Amino acid sequence: MAKAHVDQDACVGCEACAGVCPVSAISIEDGKSRVDTDTCVECGACVSTCPVGAISQED
């Protein structure tokens, strides 16, 4: 697995990812999701939850 990454151009700011993150590593800033990579535990919950496919996991 790898840390979550948000494609800022694709993100619609729906906050679904922030709601499923078990460690609260995702916040909404300026209407877009931001991942705190130091907190992310690479679980992938946000990736499968994003309705527009704006989140991926990469090293």
Side-chain angles (χ1 to χ4, degrees):
M1 292 279 201
K3 303 289 182 179
H5 171 76
V6 179
D7 178 342
Q8 295 296 301
D9 292 330
C11 179
V12 296
C14 69
E15 301 185 30
C17 55
V20 300
C21 182
V23 294
S24 301
I26 303 176
S27 59
I28 306 300
E29 297 176 18
D30 297 324
K32 303 285 183 171
S33 295
R34 302 268 182 207
V35 177
D36 178 348
T37 56
D38 291 333
T39 305
C40 178
V41 294
E42 304 177 14
C43 70
C46 57
V47 176
S48 59
T49 299
C50 182
V52 296
I55 305 177
S56 60
Q57 285 181 288
E58 53 188 52
D59 291 321

